[in-house]
Amino acid sequence: MCTRVVWPDANGTVIVGRNMDFHMDLLTNLWKMPRGIKRTDGVNGDLTWTSQYGSVIATAFDLIATDGMNEEGFAGHVLWLAESDYGKPQDTDVQLSQAVWLQYYLDNFATVAEAVEWTNRTGVQVAQLFDPTGHLVPTLHLALNDATGDSAIIEYIGGKPKVYHSREYTVMTNSPTYDKQLELVKEISGLGGTKPLPGSTLASDRFARASYYVKHQVQPKTQLQAMAAMFSIIRNAAQPFRTPEPGKPDASQTIWQVVADMTNKRYAFESTTRPNIVWVDFEKMSFAEGTEVLKLDLIGKLALEGGLAGDVSHKFHSPGELGLGFSQVGLEALEFVAKKQDEFAEISKAVKAVKALGHGK
């Protein structure tokens, strides 16, 4: 479910790209989040904060930040990792709901080093969302990168955060875990080994292609060339439309792509189902405390004819109290269901037992 690539030395700029791969439309819109927003952890309310930095985020269903960059050029990207094991957090643990996991980092950190220090110091636990309808429960890992070119990957294995922190960690895809990806890619020609560059949609193959092409890039002369080169890399790691593979959301088509210049603070978005590319220049937006939360409607406005295209920095609009209210209610509902997952699991178990008894008759 996705590929993330950092180009830390694009002729003096740091460029990041990511594909969002999923089996269904996430109804993604862009949102501008100002400084000064008060938030809670979405678990038990023990962790509260006020956003220090404004950000632009790409959401899923207008509820959860799946990708984004803040005004310091610090960016984060949520990707699928089937091996994720968040364990069972204790009440005394510092916790974040998956729903606000990325947003916490965007709100509070300007650099990867700051984010890594806090993660290691607190041992923050992630409270997993839960879907009582029987759909897949999200198992995610988080990539972070900043305007210095620094990079980190955070995975949860055995209930604890495992942090991979290095400027050299430029690529992240999905399974297997990051330590195994680093070993597999050494087998590829041009990356230390002798095997030919693979071409399948497997996460390990996408990891190899993205690693190869970002390593062998020609230095760009302009920002346009740098961003175009990154689009070419992530398109090469994209997944075509096809029949979804059951139980494998990471084996799904690419539905949108983002390329961001973390040095010059430009965030570009491209849908694979709508032909127009749009971008936001942070210098043209105000993230000051007290300014409104604003939304860019990509679902209704990113159309083939007469739709949004190009610079959309001034085309964000207030969602209104009703829109914000719906989003908040939806987020609270997700978090409530997550808290009740043990109870839902017992109900599901009981229902299955009743069905089995009926079939026995």
Side-chain angles (χ1 to χ4, degrees), residues 22 50 72 107 117 131 148 171 185 189 246 268 291 294 300 318 334:
F22 208 58
T50 300
E72 295 297 314
D107 285 351
E117 189 281 329
D131 186 346
T148 72
V171 176
V185 80
S189 177
T291 58
L294 299 177
S318 171
L334 281 176

Side-chain angles (χ1 to χ4, degrees), residues 72-354:
E72 295 297 314
F74 173 88
H77 325 272
V78 172
L79 282 72
W80 197 274
L81 179 66
E83 292 87 348
S84 295
D85 174 12
Y86 303 103
K88 194 73 174 176
Q90 303 299 309
D91 290 340
T92 55
D93 290 335
V94 177
Q95 296 184 58
L96 286 170
S97 163
Q98 279 183 332
V100 294
W101 186 20
L102 171 57
Q103 193 65 58
Y104 181 87
Y105 284 86
L106 295 176
D107 285 351
N108 288 286
F109 302 115
T111 67
V112 169
E114 294 173 3
V116 167
E117 189 281 329
W118 180 83
T119 303
N120 288 331
R121 173 167 50 83
T122 63
V124 59
Q125 298 296 296
V126 172
Q128 194 171 18
L129 294 175
F130 181 75
D131 186 346
T133 66
H135 295 161
L136 286 170
V137 178
T139 53
L140 310 171
H141 55 169
L142 177 64
L144 303 171
N145 27 266
D146 65 29
T148 72
D150 201 4
S151 174
I153 285 79
I154 303 174
E155 298 181 344
Y156 280 78
I157 305 298
K160 300 295 182 182
K162 173 64 176 176
V163 180
Y164 301 88
H165 180 202
S166 171
R167 184 184 174 93
E168 302 304 312
Y169 297 151
T170 58
V171 176
M172 185 171 97
T173 56
N174 314 113
S175 299
T177 53
Y178 201 69
D179 54 342
K180 294 182 174 64
Q181 290 279 24
L182 293 174
E183 291 303 312
L184 287 172
V185 80
K186 292 177 184 178
E187 301 175 357
I188 305 303
S189 177
L191 299 170
T194 57
K195 291 184 178 179
L197 195 63
S200 86
T201 59
L202 285 173
S204 55
D205 287 0
R206 289 184 278 113
F207 192 103
R209 291 201 303 280
S211 298
Y212 179 89
Y213 287 116
V214 75
K215 182 178 180 179
H216 293 85
Q217 278 300 308
V218 176
Q219 284 294 301
K221 296 180 180 178
T222 65
Q223 185 199 49
L224 176 62
Q225 288 183 358
M227 296 186 75
M230 180 54 74
F231 267 117
S232 77
I233 295 170
I234 61 170
R235 284 169 181 151
N236 192 275
Q239 302 193 62
F241 292 0
R242 65 187 188 280
T243 303
E245 297 178 30
K248 293 184 178 180
D250 54 322
S252 303
Q253 64 264 24
T254 300
I255 57 175
W256 51 258
Q257 300 164 322
V258 164
V259 168
D261 180 336
M262 293 178 285
T263 305
N264 297 298
K265 317 299 189 300
R266 174 174 282 185
Y267 189 86
F269 178 96
E270 178 184 44
S271 168
T272 58
T273 60
R274 303 170 183 87
N276 297 341
I277 294 178
V278 297
W279 63 83
V280 180
D281 283 325
F282 278 42
E283 65 178 16
K284 297 179 181 179
M285 305 184 79
S286 174
F287 296 94
E289 183 173 350
T291 58
E292 282 189 284
V293 173
L294 299 177
K295 173 181 175 180
L296 183 70
D297 179 7
L298 297 178
I299 302 303
K301 300 297 184 183
L302 201 60
L304 177 61
E305 296 179 4
L308 292 173
D311 186 352
V312 293
S313 306
H314 298 305
K315 295 185 179 181
F316 284 67
H317 296 286
S318 171
E321 291 186 11
L322 186 61
L324 286 173
F326 276 133
S327 295
Q328 186 60 34
V329 168
L331 188 57
E332 290 173 356
L334 281 176
E335 292 165 348
F336 171 80
V337 172
K339 294 175 187 176
K340 300 292 184 179
Q341 58 180 296
D342 290 339
E343 296 172 36
F344 280 113
E346 287 300 317
I347 293 171
S348 177
K349 183 178 178 181
V351 169
K352 289 178 180 177
V354 171

